[in-house]
Amino acid sequence: LKVDPSLARGLARECDDPAEARRLWLMIARNAASNCGGAADGGDDGRDVVARVVAVLKDCGPGVMSIEDVLPFLPDFAQIDQFKDEICDALASYSSKIEGYLREMTECDRTCDALRDELGRLSAVGTRIRPDARCAYTGAEVRRSNEPFYAFPSGYVVLESALRREVVPYLNERQARRVGAVEGEIARMRKLRSGPGRSPYETAKDDFDVENLQTELDGLIAAECPLTGSVMVQSIDRGFSDDDDDE
């Protein structure tokens, strides 16, 4: 900057890092302002400072600096008409951004309304199963089995253990780890709940925590029917039997 300001501007233009380019142009603008003495009185030197700083602002190109970035380098008393174009550009940019944010907020409102409507519809949807319904994988009667089961809108009913066995291999690593962690936490909470000396408040809190964990587990392994959803698509390259003797 002290040797060749034009070279400094050339280097700033060639910089590919936006943050670094902005830092260099701020240094150039500060140097342009400091090279003018007597700026504080707002006289001819003050107008020269404004002209120099505005020239740097124009030279850096759009999107690098704005008028508010260089305001600290301007004199305390300066005529607005010297940089009114830059102020108008900044106001127009702000107006455009505000309009964009308003459009995003409107779209978010529509999405939230649609989600609320869908949740309201799903809360009224029920699934009926036959008294003799059997697990789609094991063939066991689910009502006689001593474990939870899932009934899907597709009509399939699957025991929890069978569902976990079929779905977990197709989860990503983070989801699979979370399934194990949630199941372990549920087992720990149930054991803690059945322990002696638990107050009614602690028991109610344990039930609430277990319910939340169970809801999370349901979302991980029962988000969709394994026989009609993405799991079935991903398992299309698997054989019909894991028994090597079956050909």
Side-chain angles (χ1 to χ4, degrees):
L1 287 173
K2 295 181 179 180
V3 177
D4 190 348
S6 61
L7 178 60
R9 297 190 183 199
L11 294 175
R13 293 191 195 97
E14 295 175 359
C15 183
D16 296 328
D17 185 359
E20 181 65 16
R22 182 175 182 276
R23 188 182 70 84
L24 293 175
W25 281 109
L26 285 173
M27 292 175 59
I28 294 171
R30 184 183 297 108
N31 181 75
S34 63
N35 282 342
C36 298
D41 57 359
D44 293 339
D45 290 337
R47 287 190 291 271
D48 191 31
V49 171
V50 173
R52 286 173 177 264
V53 173
V54 170
V56 174
L57 184 62
K58 293 180 178 179
D59 199 17
C60 71
V64 180
M65 291 192 306
S66 59
I67 185 64
E68 62 266 28
D69 294 325
V70 299
L71 282 177
F73 309 142
L74 299 179
D76 294 337
F77 301 96
Q79 295 181 0
I80 294 180
D81 60 351
Q82 292 180 273
F83 49 92
K84 62 181 180 181
D85 292 339
E86 286 71 24
I87 293 178
C88 291
D89 291 341
L91 293 175
S93 176
Y94 293 149
S95 177
S96 177
K97 290 180 180 178
I98 290 173
E99 291 178 358
Y101 293 147
L102 289 175
R103 287 194 296 268
E104 292 180 4
M105 291 174 61
T106 302
E107 184 63 27
C108 288
D109 287 341
R110 292 198 191 101
T111 302
C112 290
D113 291 339
L115 287 175
R116 279 192 289 267
D117 293 341
E118 182 68 11
L119 289 174
R121 185 186 67 82
L122 291 176
S123 64
V125 174
T127 301
R128 294 183 178 181
I129 63 172
R130 295 168 55 89
D132 58 347
R134 295 179 178 272
C135 175
Y137 289 106
T138 65
E141 290 191 25
V142 295
R143 299 187 68 178
R144 294 178 180 271
S145 301
N146 190 25
E147 67 170 297
F149 61 88
Y150 296 88
F152 295 95
S154 60
Y156 289 106
V157 182
V158 185
L159 291 171
E160 184 180 46
S161 59
L163 182 64
R164 185 188 187 283
R165 185 171 59 251
E166 291 294 327
V167 171
V168 169
Y170 296 98
L171 299 178
N172 59 46
E173 184 179 354
R174 184 185 63 82
Q175 291 172 326
R177 286 200 308 266
R178 185 57 185 163
V179 167
V182 169
E183 289 180 332
E185 187 65 14
I186 290 176
R188 187 188 71 82
M189 293 296 297
R190 286 175 176 167
K191 182 178 180 180
L192 183 65
R193 183 186 183 281
S194 61
R198 301 293 289 177
S199 66
Y201 169 78
E202 291 173 326
T203 301
K205 185 178 183 302
D206 293 341
D207 291 339
F208 178 78
D209 292 340
V210 168
E211 183 178 354
N212 286 337
L213 289 169
Q214 185 63 50
T215 300
E216 182 179 358
L217 180 62
D218 294 343
L220 289 168
I221 67 174
E224 61 180 3
C225 176
L227 291 168
T228 59
S230 60
V231 171
M232 177 56 68
V233 176
Q234 295 177 49
S235 64
I236 196 171
D237 59 343
R238 290 177 54 185
F240 290 103
S241 174
D242 292 333
D243 190 352
D244 294 337
D245 294 335
D246 293 339
E247 295 292 336

